[in-house]
Amino acid sequence: MTVLVLGGAGYIGSHTVDQLIQRGTDVAVVDSLVTGHQAAINPQARFYQGDIRDKDFMRSVFQQEKVSGVIHFAAFSIVPESMQAPLKYFDNNTYGMTALLEVMNEFDVKHIVFSSTAATYGEPKSIPIKESDPQVPTNPYGESKLMMETMMKWADRAYGIKFVALRYFNVAGAKPDGSIGEDHHPETHLLPIVLQVAAGKREQLSIFGDDYDTPDGTNVRDYVHVLDLADAHILALGYLEEGHDSNAFNLGSSTGFSNMEIVEAARKVTGKAIPVTMAPRRAGDPSTLIAASDKAREVLGWTPQYDNMEAIIETAWNWHLNHPNGYTDRG
Ligand code: UFG
């Protein structure tokens, strides 16, 4: 039986595909390559290029593969872009889920592990954020993913498709051998931009807002290493295979780092000055996002291996040094 990974050419998808293959799982990947890179996909996975909204294309994949479960990463995920182009998010992300669930139901595939996000919570009322807290997104990206969670809930009721929604906090790092990593065009995420400045690829970093209600005034985020995140997907699939009911889990470390603390840690790891200027707040950014992460640890048995920010940054820096221009295929 095969695990079908949608969005397996992306940052988190490619690390998960690689981990699945390391553990002897048979993997097929679907990716449109709109944001992903073919070079990121472990060559032992079978690759189908196409869009999950194209139901005929997806039917042909399900016809060719004996799919036991789906891991779904195929979505747009840039908060500021979603503020400018909300319908792009509802089309690709939300409609994409409708099409996917329809085809899964046609082929009687009953398990899906879904990349959800802390952005579904919006501006939290209390920290750390628990899975049972209200989900009130402050940007269209978070809203599109909340709608996807809702669709899965009702598809479970109607068709018995069981799901695990994994609500990621901030993901960072790369496979330690430097062979795969994070490569977005354009890059909007904090740590890769910090490392591009350290590598001399950008002149400086703008920090978006230093007047938040946080200890140093900059936003606070909770970082998880991409390999720990990949591991949680594999555990979640096992959880569904054991016959458990649908569920949602935060994936975070329960520790917050301010944007300035990330810069400081990157200065230590890289030995570079990393010049910073303060800029206005970015639309749609919640002030502080820190996960309560005990549920994933207790229920899934998730035990993250990386609990040190500098160690996480070191793996990302290693990727940057090995691939100064990212993937060159621009897939
Ligand atoms: N930031 C800067 N300067 C930059 C880039 C980012 O100051 O040049 C700041 C942002 O304003 C924010 C923090 O760095 O305060 C982190 O921003 P990212 O863009 O790296 O990540 P986000 O927190 O916006 O979003 C990420 C994922 C989402 C996910 C969210 C959940 O991209 O998919 O984490 O916490 F939903």
Side-chain angles (χ1 to χ4, degrees), residues 76-80 116-120 139 141-142 145 167-171 182 184 187-194 202 204-209 212 218-223 258-259 277 279-282 284-287 289:
F76 293 141
S77 64
I78 309 294
V79 171
S116 190
T117 170
T120 59
N139 53 62
Y141 164 62
K145 290 238 161 162
R167 297 181 189 146
Y168 310 164
F169 284 64
N170 288 55
V171 188
E182 187 168 13
H184 298 114
E187 188 52 78
T188 61
H189 293 103
L190 179 66
L191 183 59
I193 291 177
V194 166
R202 274 181 200 245
Q204 62 164 29
L205 165 76
S206 297
I207 295 276
F208 300 136
Y212 285 95
T218 66
N219 285 156
V220 170
R221 296 286 183 271
D222 177 336
Y223 290 83
S258 76
N259 294 342
T277 54
R281 289 181 176 200
R282 190 176 70 174
D285 274 341
S287 162
L289 293 174

Side-chain angles (χ1 to χ4, degrees), residues 302-322:
W302 185 50
T303 41
Q305 302 300 303
Y306 287 84
D307 59 359
N308 173 303
M309 195 62 225
E310 286 173 29
I312 293 177
I313 294 176
E314 228 168 87
T315 64
W317 182 232
N318 192 35
W319 154 257
H320 277 262
L321 294 176
N322 273 284

